[in-house]
């Protein structure tokens, strides 16, 4: 079945309208209102876009007080699903790369989920001198929301990119794993290097239920108190790879995949949760 060209369809409609105006009394004024109706319909996406940005306008002064934020262009790439399969485990990948000739370095990147009760999912401080970095993690998304990555460069500039994610209920979703088992193994860590596959990346996983404070305890029917990993530091020898300040938006068993070049230097991981429990582990530089 052949599709009509939009321009041909519009042209024929215009001819029909002119003919009706010529032969039908009162047709002219009535048809003259059609462009106004079309204009009103065209503003609906604009209203929706403005509504989506309203939350950002309200939270931005608290997250980045007095700071100008520019479009990141190709410096910051954000990969997020348009519609998440599981709102409690939404995969996010941030790619940072300064162009050749740019004298700056990258200091940090902040991940924000606009519509979450605590919008700042995490702020990740990078090693001194970093010019490119990749980071993947899983987050909770409480309702349809923009997810934003805001990078900070060495000169203090903020550069942002965003993606819209359709997901709901992630912050109140029950744990996907047995809670008693998670608590019994809380703080256990795993480290894996992907160098053998040709990818300059590694992954750290920390066992922790990461309760958001919005989940219902099935036994008491009350809210499970918030209890989550709030700080993570990953080093290669004495050099920082990244450090995180996190909140309730990070999914259970926090898992981070990041840029990594293996060496003889050991990899050390330190994590601290909101109860003040500190967990540490050291791994061989090649991974284990």
């Amino acid at each position: 079945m052949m599709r009509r060209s939009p321009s041909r369809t519009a042209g024929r409609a215009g001819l029909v309208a002119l003919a009706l105006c010529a032969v039908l009394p009162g047709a002219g004024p009535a048809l003259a209102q059609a462009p106004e109706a079309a204009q009103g319909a065209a503003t609906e996406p604009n209203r929706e876009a403005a509504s989506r940005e309203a939350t950002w306008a309200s939270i931005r002064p608290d997250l980045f007080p007095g700071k100008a934020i520019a479009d990141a262009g190709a410096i910051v790439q954000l990969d997020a699903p348009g519609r998440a399969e599981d709102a409690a485990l939404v995969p996010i990948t941030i790619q940072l790369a300064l162009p050749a000739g740019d004298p700056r370095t990258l200091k940090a990147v902040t991940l924000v989920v606009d519509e979450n009760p605590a919008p700042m999912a995490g702020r990740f401080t990078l090693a001194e001198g970093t010019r490119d970095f990749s980071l993947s993690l899983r987050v909770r998304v409480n309702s349809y929301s923009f997810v934003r990555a805001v990078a900070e460069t060495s000169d203090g500039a903020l550069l942002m990119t965003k993606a819209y994610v359709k997901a709901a209920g992630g912050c109140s979703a029950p744990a996907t794993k047995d809670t008693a088992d998670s608590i019994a193994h809380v703080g256990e860590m795993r480290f894996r290097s992907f160098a053998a596959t040709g990818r300059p990346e590694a992954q750290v996983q920390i066992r922790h239920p990461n309760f958001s404070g919005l989940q219902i305890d099935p036994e008491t029917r009350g809210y499970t108190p918030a209890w989550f990993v709030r700080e993570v530091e990953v080093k290669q020898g004495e050099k920082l790879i990244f450090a995180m300040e996190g909140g309730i938006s990070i999914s259970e068993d926090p898992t981070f995949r990041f840029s990594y070049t293996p060496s003889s230097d050991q990899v050390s991981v330190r994590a601290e949760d909101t109860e003040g429990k500190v967990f540490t582990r050291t791994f061989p530089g090649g991974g284990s």
Side-chain angles (χ1 to χ4, degrees):
M1 177 174 158
M2 294 181 63
R3 293 186 177 179
R4 294 180 179 176
S5 165
S7 59
R8 288 185 178 181
T9 303
R12 291 181 180 179
L15 290 174
V16 171
L18 289 173
L20 287 172
C21 286
V23 300
L24 295 179
L31 288 171
Q33 295 174 6
E36 295 178 7
Q39 184 179 3
T43 62
E44 286 305 314
N46 295 332
R47 290 197 189 102
E48 183 179 359
S51 176
R52 290 178 178 178
E53 291 289 351
T55 300
W56 172 243
S58 67
I59 64 176
R60 173 179 164 170
D62 293 328
L63 297 175
F64 305 100
K67 298 285 187 69
I69 302 178
D71 180 80
I75 294 176
V76 185
Q77 301 292 322
L78 178 63
D79 184 16
R83 184 178 294 276
E85 293 183 8
D86 187 337
L89 297 166
V90 180
I92 300 291
T93 296
I94 304 169
Q95 299 273 359
L96 307 171
L98 289 168
D102 191 324
R104 300 174 298 178
T105 57
L106 297 161
K107 290 181 61 178
V109 61
T110 302
L111 184 63
V112 179
V113 185
D114 286 8
E115 303 297 339
N116 276 11
M120 192 187 81
R123 185 179 190 276
F124 299 85
T125 301
L126 308 178
E128 186 175 351
T130 296
R131 292 188 52 81
D132 59 82
F133 194 75
S134 173
L135 176 69
S136 298
L137 68 159
R138 298 173 302 184
V139 300
R140 299 175 168 122
V141 177
N142 207 49
S143 61
Y144 286 23
S145 178
F146 273 119
V147 176
R148 304 172 192 268
V150 183
E152 181 182 355
T153 55
S154 54
D155 62 352
L158 297 180
L159 306 171
M160 182 181 74
T161 192
K162 63 186 178 183
Y164 195 70
V165 176
K166 295 180 179 179
C171 292
S172 58
T176 61
K177 299 177 181 178
D178 179 77
T179 299
D181 182 67
S182 292
I183 293 175
H185 295 278
V186 70
E188 292 182 3
M189 299 183 190
R190 294 178 181 174
F191 172 75
R192 180 185 178 189
S193 169
F194 296 94
T197 67
R199 289 172 290 180
E201 298 175 333
Q203 178 175 287
V204 165
Q205 182 185 66
I206 305 166
R207 291 294 305 273
H208 202 288
N210 252 37
F211 294 136
S212 67
L214 300 174
Q215 296 143 321
I216 299 295
D217 185 316
E219 295 183 2
T220 66
R221 304 307 300 169
Y223 287 106
T224 302
W227 177 35
F228 55 88
V229 174
R230 67 182 178 190
E231 294 179 6
V232 175
E233 184 180 70
V234 182
K235 288 185 173 182
Q236 187 174 18
E238 295 299 317
K239 184 180 179 181
L240 177 73
I241 297 179
F242 75 88
M244 181 205 75
E245 299 173 34
I248 66 170
S249 296
I250 303 295
S251 301
E252 63 183 296
D253 291 343
T255 302
F256 308 98
R257 185 164 176 160
F258 51 90
S259 297
Y260 172 75
T261 302
S263 71
S264 59
D265 292 328
Q266 293 183 324
V267 172
S268 59
V269 183
R270 179 188 183 279
E272 182 175 341
D273 68 18
T274 51
E275 291 187 353
K277 293 184 173 68
V278 176
F279 315 102
T280 59
R281 183 81 188 272
T282 301
F283 302 90
S288 62

